[in-house]
């Protein structure tokens, strides 16, 4: 029997992942300070910063698997927040208590912010997992250090370990003030969507694809880091103008209204050979279909 | 007034460092599970893995400075021990509680094992602090990750931070089963000292020089990583034959009796320009003088 503890189970990616894990026959325990009755799993209430409480849950549940999605997420602050170090602490303690409770396989969540964002090094090529990392932010640095530490720790105690590096997830349920939700909100309110030039190329992955990829990664045997992405470069201008068309307000799209950020790369796209060939998962949801579904989700929301 | 908490104050490097700090006018609190009455400082008894206890000590003492020397040290095991991850956890918690207690400047202890040990990359040049690190062991990786995390954390909360990367400390009080104590013990027992070919070049630093360097680093304003070493390459054969001469048993030195380890570099020597020019410290103790003092220390011990 496969029993999994999922941290961050009530988050944007977590909710979708719980469904994907249940479909694969996992018995899912969500671990959270704030259980969410809308997510179908057995809830364990604990603060991940309270390592005694976490230890208690793991001893009681004795999970075979661990999927650790939780991290600092406060928009605009998480790039530099001191709490990034706290999340490394919490992650190391979680691995330790999972191991001591007899766990077998643990998967953590990384980010494309672990990679260099230097355009001259990226050189317009899809980023492979094995390249030397050079994170620019505290967030990226903390995730990268957590990967190295959890990987080495897992080897030293004989725990199966993998790490999904998520690129740019989007989709229904995303209320973060990131690009896609912000543009949708603006257009729905009849306000202009102020954007940069939009020539940045990104690897946008539908949250349900990312969730299914995590479930496949957790269920499988692949070790180490695996990019969770599509391998496809999409310009921000393409995303934004598609949203303008879907919401029938192309007139409100203001490409070039904002300065581009100097610290963001022109091109950030994943090499997904490990995901495809080793995990055996290929993203299925086309961008336009995914954006349409996202717009429809927003139209059903009552705020 | 300068109040410092020193972890690992009863260790080989710690004891010497407490003296060096007192000479510079620091009021020294040693933090340890096992206070050592032979070390002249005010002792605070706490297990560094017990973060509540550590928090209690820091709230009570309210140190202005922190010098964190403690780490897993069990010989032969610390290179790969799972506890390396636990020490990262403990170090992050220590920084957090030090910051919350109003601390101003914190110095941690790194190692030359953070650097690459690939001879083709070392290329017989002194290693500068800024080179890309590529630790080969879990110990080196954990120290390197701790440096990155503590550095980024300290920036994010406005804490002064430095990191002393110690090369090969030796001297009186070193009872670890490392090269120099092992050779001295063998010769004193009239037994052959089995050695490798001895052509490896290392940067041996006298523990009192290393301790004085840490005290200077803590008292000063330099940020980031600083090598704690001499900048001088000494062959292991030179050290071992010197010990043979000092103990009047050159006949017992067996260079070439053991296979060289494949995973150790031929050459590992520090660039000490930061220590010399920025910290303003130059090692003073000559190797032969230091070895003589070490031999004399062993001759005074009664086991």
């Amino acid at each position: 029997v496969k029993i999994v503890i999922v941290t961050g189970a009530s988050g944007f990616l977590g909710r979708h992942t719980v469904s994907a894990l249940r479909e694969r026959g996992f018995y899912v325990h969500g671990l959270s300070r704030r259980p969410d009755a809308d997510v179908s799993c057995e809830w364990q209430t604990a603060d991940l910063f309270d390592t005694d409480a976490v230890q208690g849950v793991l001893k009681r549940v004795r999970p075979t698997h661990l999927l650790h999605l939780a991290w600092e997420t406060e928009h605009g602050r998480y790039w530099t927040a001191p709490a990034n170090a706290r999340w490394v602490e919490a992650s190391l303690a979680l691995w330790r208590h999972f191991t001591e409770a007899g766990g077998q396989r643990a998967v953590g969540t990384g980010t494309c912010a672990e990679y260099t964002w230097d355009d001259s090094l990226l050189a317009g090529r899809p980023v492979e997992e094995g390249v030397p990392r050079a994170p620019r932010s505290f967030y990226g640095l903390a995730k990268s250090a957590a990967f190295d530490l959890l990987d080495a720790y897992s080897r030293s105690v004989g725990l199966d370990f993998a790490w999904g590096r998520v690129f740019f997830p989007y989709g229904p349920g995303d209320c973060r003030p990131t690009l896609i939700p912000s543009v949708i909100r603006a257009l729905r309110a009849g306000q202009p969507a102020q954007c940069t030039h939009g020539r940045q190329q990104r690897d946008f992955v539908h949250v349900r694809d990312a969730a299914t990829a995590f479930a496949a990664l957790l269920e499988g045997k692949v070790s180490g880091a695996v990019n969770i992405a599509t391998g496809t470069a999409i310009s921000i201008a393409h995303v934004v103008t598609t949203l303008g068309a879907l919401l029938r307000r192309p007139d409100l799209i203001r490409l070039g209204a904002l300065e581009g950020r100097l610290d963001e790369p022109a091109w950030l796209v994943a090499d997904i050979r490990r995901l495809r060939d080793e995990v055996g998962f290929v993203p299925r949801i086309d961008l336009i279909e995914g954006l349409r579904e996202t717009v429809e989700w927003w139209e059903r929301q009552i705020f």
Side-chain angles (χ1 to χ4, degrees), chain A:
Chain A
V1 73
K2 297 175 296 186
I3 301 169
V4 62
I5 287 263
V6 181
T7 72
S10 61
F12 167 48
L13 179 55
R15 292 158 167 260
H16 290 276
T17 308
V18 167
S19 307
L21 289 166
R22 284 161 51 90
E23 282 168 24
R24 284 175 180 257
F26 280 93
Y27 188 90
V28 180
H29 293 264
L31 177 63
S32 180
R33 271 182 305 166
R34 291 183 302 261
D36 180 340
D38 289 346
V39 180
S40 251
C41 64
E42 182 169 336
W43 281 104
Q44 305 291 339
T45 307
D47 183 339
L48 277 165
F49 290 172
D50 179 346
T51 55
D52 291 341
V54 169
Q55 181 178 32
V57 168
L58 289 163
K59 276 186 169 168
R60 198 164 60 242
V61 170
R62 299 193 71 79
T64 54
H65 291 69
L66 169 65
L67 179 57
H68 177 36
L69 300 170
W71 199 268
E72 179 70 19
T73 53
E74 193 188 342
H75 190 73
R77 295 215 52 230
Y78 73 97
W79 292 105
T80 55
N84 282 296
R86 192 75 197 267
W87 279 102
V88 176
E89 259 187 84
S91 303
L92 293 171
L94 181 62
W95 251 247
R96 184 157 53 81
H97 293 309
F98 176 67
T99 303
E100 286 168 4
Q104 294 163 21
R105 180 167 172 84
V107 171
T109 317
T111 160
C112 57
E114 291 175 64
Y115 296 119
T116 181
W117 283 7
D118 182 330
D119 283 315
S120 65
L121 294 172
L122 288 164
R125 281 192 304 265
V127 189
E128 283 179 60
E129 292 87 349
V131 297
R133 278 160 278 142
R136 193 171 280 184
S137 61
F138 190 6
Y139 170 66
L141 183 149
K143 285 284 196 177
S144 173
F147 166 69
D148 284 331
L149 291 164
L150 296 173
D151 184 39
Y153 173 79
S154 300
R155 282 171 207 270
S156 79
V157 297
L159 187 69
D160 273 8
F161 170 73
W163 184 255
R165 290 209 181 107
V166 188
F167 275 60
F168 295 89
Y170 76 96
D174 186 7
C175 300
R176 300 172 300 166
T178 50
L179 178 76
I180 292 172
S182 304
V183 170
I184 295 173
R185 280 179 201 252
L187 300 194
R188 292 187 66 219
Q191 289 165 354
Q194 312 275 357
C195 302
T196 64
H197 55 74
R199 291 187 298 272
Q200 309 92 322
Q201 305 273 322
R202 295 289 180 267
D203 192 325
F204 289 99
V205 57
H206 191 284
V207 65
R208 215 157 49 242
D209 275 335
T212 312
F214 267 105
L217 183 59
L218 187 71
E219 196 179 27
K221 295 194 177 301
V222 172
S223 287
V226 176
N227 288 332
I228 307 287
T230 64
T232 307
I234 303 280
S235 75
I236 285 178
H238 179 71
V239 167
V240 169
T241 53
T242 302
L243 291 172
L246 287 168
L247 285 151
R248 298 169 198 269
R249 293 305 304 263
D251 56 303
L252 292 176
I253 300 298
R254 301 277 191 279
L255 285 166
L258 301 178
E259 289 286 310
R261 284 175 50 177
L262 291 172
D263 61 347
E264 66 169 9
W267 205 87
L268 199 50
V269 176
D271 183 316
I272 61 158
R273 283 177 296 179
R274 286 207 83 194
L275 181 63
R276 185 188 65 204
D277 302 341
E278 299 184 43
V279 180
F281 175 78
V282 179
R284 291 179 186 82
I285 306 167
D286 172 79
L287 182 79
I288 296 191
E289 180 195 333
L291 289 178
R292 180 179 294 118
E293 184 193 0
T294 306
V295 166
E296 287 167 3
W297 180 82
W298 277 96
E299 291 181 338
R300 287 196 305 276
Q301 304 310 305
I302 299 155
F303 291 100

